[in-house]
Amino acid sequence: MTRIITITITLFVLVLQGASLKVYAQDYTSDELFQMARKAAFDDDDYPKAISLSKQALEMSPDYSDIRIFLGRIYTWTDRVEEAREAFQYVLERYPGHEDASMAITDLEYWNDNNQKALEYCNEGLAEHPESEELLLKKAKILNNMKRFDEAYRVAEGLTERHPDNQDARSLLRTIRYDSAVNKISVSHDFSWFNQEYPNHLHESPWHIVGVDYSRYTKIGSVIGRVNWGDRFGNSAFQYEMDAYPYLAKGVNAYMNVGFSDRSAVFPRFRAGLSLYFSLPKSFEAEAGARFLHFSGNTWIYVASASKYYKSFWFNLKTYLVPGSQDISHSYTMTTRYYLGGADDYWKFSFGYGLSPDEAFSEQNYLSDYRLKSAHVGLGLRKSIKRFNVIGLSASFIRQEYEKDQKGNQLNTSVTYIRKF
């Protein structure tokens, strides 16, 4: 008996609530109900209330497409797939190729692993809105998921060329490259020339470093093995390195390096590096890390940087700090890239004070307790050719202190060829 009374009271309360909502709705326009529904969904996380308010608004304005698409998206987020599909199709039947409805139903099918259907809806939307950034981005994602890499690459590449400030498109282009070509072989040659102000043993014997590396993209990030051959100070030696760029968490990546050599006059006998990269709001990125070099003694170097994407530009300000027995030496480098299209197509310009331990030609700067002073400026170009080939060219001029209070001019050039497969 008590159970029957409880059920009766509950039903009575629900009926009263429904009646009050209808009376309540009569006091508002469909636009006002729409705004209330959005507040219920986004501010209060109250999806049932948002659905109820949206339905009441549609009773007043059944062809109000924005409300119906919003209702369909709530159905999508709450796994009511058929009701979501019905809401989107209602709009598309009346407005074929409607951009927002096409994006919404494309997401619905894509998230439910219906790639072919998602592609069909996306193409229908693009037929009416061929320049839609969002639809083109979704199409490239779908094609990549379907392993139709050539088509996905063409769509993403075209999008980055028309909208070079679209970071999502550039990121997707990198993803497509990695998905379609997980292996990479690189060959590079670095050359350093010293003018007559340097001692004869440097001026008459330019430095050479030749590197060959193999990179493979894995589920946790890129892993690189590298062999360098160097000829410096009349000595030659090999260096063996391993790099890794693992993903640690959402918005957090890492760089790890370890290297060995048998001749400290050419390379450090041992080197290691670690940096953490943090993705920040508004396209900012921060780095914090350390480098360790062992020649005849040990040197610790600490690194910090800040980066920012702005339209087709990437700006990076980096500093290296080297604790000494009496003070802390420091160097700074400002690097700017201007992207011509994808991630492997850009001009690079840099200038700064001091040298980087990440550059092989500068490692000798850390051989003594006295930190040699230098200023440098550089220019470079990186260009992809037929998708799987990349060339890199760069040159830098350095006004370098080679001994205390003794300076000379140094010219460095670098040529790199990368083949992906």
Side-chain angles (χ1 to χ4, degrees), residues 36-51:
M36 293 162 62
R38 291 175 60 85
K39 182 180 184 301
F42 299 135
D43 295 346
D44 305 329
D45 293 326
D46 191 343
Y47 292 142
K49 182 178 179 181
I51 290 172

Side-chain angles (χ1 to χ4, degrees), residues 395-407:
S396 61
F397 172 81
I398 302 174
R399 182 63 176 171
Q400 169 74 45
E401 188 178 35
Y402 59 87
E403 292 180 3
K404 187 175 182 179
D405 299 326
Q406 299 293 316
K407 294 182 179 181

Side-chain angles (χ1 to χ4, degrees), residues 122-414:
C122 191
N123 283 333
E124 289 173 7
L126 284 168
E128 296 294 326
H129 307 278
E131 299 300 320
S132 171
E133 285 187 65
E134 289 295 326
L135 284 171
L136 286 168
L137 188 64
K138 293 179 191 300
K139 181 174 182 177
K141 287 180 180 179
I142 297 165
L143 289 169
N144 188 57
N145 206 41
M146 297 172 76
K147 302 190 183 304
R148 292 163 60 173
F149 298 121
D150 289 342
E151 296 172 77
Y153 187 87
R154 285 196 295 271
V155 174
E157 185 178 44
L159 184 56
T160 57
E161 289 175 354
R162 289 195 294 276
H163 305 281
D165 58 336
N166 190 320
Q167 301 306 318
D168 291 335
R170 186 174 290 129
S171 176
L172 177 60
L173 198 61
R174 288 195 295 266
T175 299
I176 295 169
R177 283 197 178 107
Y178 285 134
D179 288 349
S180 60
V182 297
N183 301 288
K184 182 172 68 175
I185 292 178
S186 173
V187 180
S188 64
H189 175 242
D190 295 333
F191 171 79
S192 298
W193 174 83
F194 308 89
N195 75 348
Q196 295 90 336
E197 295 177 273
Y198 280 88
N200 287 337
H201 73 279
L202 288 173
H203 172 61
E204 296 176 359
S205 300
W207 290 353
H208 297 268
I209 297 177
V210 178
V212 179
D213 67 55
Y214 167 72
S215 171
R216 182 171 179 83
Y217 183 76
T218 70
K219 291 182 178 179
I220 63 170
S222 295
V223 179
I224 304 169
R226 182 183 302 108
V227 178
N228 298 313
W229 175 82
D231 180 11
R232 302 198 293 189
F233 299 110
N235 297 293
S236 62
F238 285 95
Q239 181 186 49
Y240 308 93
E241 289 186 280
M242 181 72 71
D243 293 344
Y245 295 85
Y247 298 105
L248 303 183
K250 184 177 180 180
V252 183
N253 294 1
Y255 157 76
M256 296 184 292
N257 165 268
V258 62
F260 305 88
S261 179
D262 58 349
R263 296 291 294 274
S264 61
V266 182
F267 297 107
R269 288 189 179 275
F270 176 76
R271 65 167 292 150
L274 172 66
S275 280
L276 296 178
Y277 297 90
F278 304 91
S279 296
L280 304 174
K282 297 185 178 181
S283 300
F284 278 96
E285 184 179 69
E287 175 195 4
R291 308 289 186 264
F292 173 78
L293 304 177
H294 174 72
F295 290 93
S296 56
N298 298 332
T299 300
W300 281 96
I301 305 160
Y302 300 95
V303 57
S305 74
S307 304
K308 165 69 176 177
Y309 282 100
Y310 176 72
K311 295 185 177 180
S312 300
F313 292 90
W314 176 76
F315 301 96
N316 175 266
L317 178 61
K318 180 174 288 190
T319 181
Y320 292 95
L321 304 175
V322 185
S325 57
Q326 297 181 343
D327 58 6
I328 297 177
S329 66
H330 44 82
S331 64
Y332 304 93
T333 298
M334 181 70 192
T335 303
T336 301
R337 293 178 187 170
Y338 176 74
Y339 284 93
L340 306 169
D344 287 317
D345 296 276
Y346 58 80
W347 284 98
K348 181 178 74 171
F349 174 72
S350 64
F351 63 93
Y353 170 86
L355 293 174
S356 158
D358 293 330
E359 301 288 349
F361 63 77
S362 70
E363 287 171 341
Q364 296 295 326
N365 199 29
Y366 302 98
L367 275 170
S368 67
D369 289 335
Y370 176 71
R371 305 305 174 195
L372 304 175
K373 300 178 178 65
S374 68
H376 61 276
V377 61
L379 182 67
L381 171 66
R382 192 175 178 97
K383 178 66 177 174
S384 60
I385 302 173
K386 295 185 178 180
R387 182 177 166 188
F388 291 113
N389 301 277
V390 180
I391 59 170
L393 305 170
S394 66
S396 61
F397 172 81
I398 302 174
R399 182 63 176 171
Q400 169 74 45
E401 188 178 35
Y402 59 87
E403 292 180 3
K404 187 175 182 179
D405 299 326
Q406 299 293 316
K407 294 182 179 181
N409 296 329
Q410 181 178 343
L411 180 66
N412 297 300
T413 62
S414 179

Side-chain angles (χ1 to χ4, degrees), residues 10-28:
T10 301
L11 289 173
F12 180 69
V13 169
L14 289 173
V15 170
L16 285 177
Q17 286 180 338
S20 64
L21 275 174
K22 287 189 176 181
V23 172
Y24 178 66
Q26 291 174 2
D27 295 331
Y28 296 94

Side-chain angles (χ1 to χ4, degrees), residues 104-124:
I105 199 167
T106 295
D107 287 339
L108 173 70
E109 302 298 351
Y110 178 69
W111 293 335
N112 285 278
D113 298 321
N114 300 321
N115 289 315
Q116 185 57 46
K117 203 67 179 174
L119 184 60
E120 291 173 8
Y121 283 121
C122 191
N123 283 333
E124 289 173 7

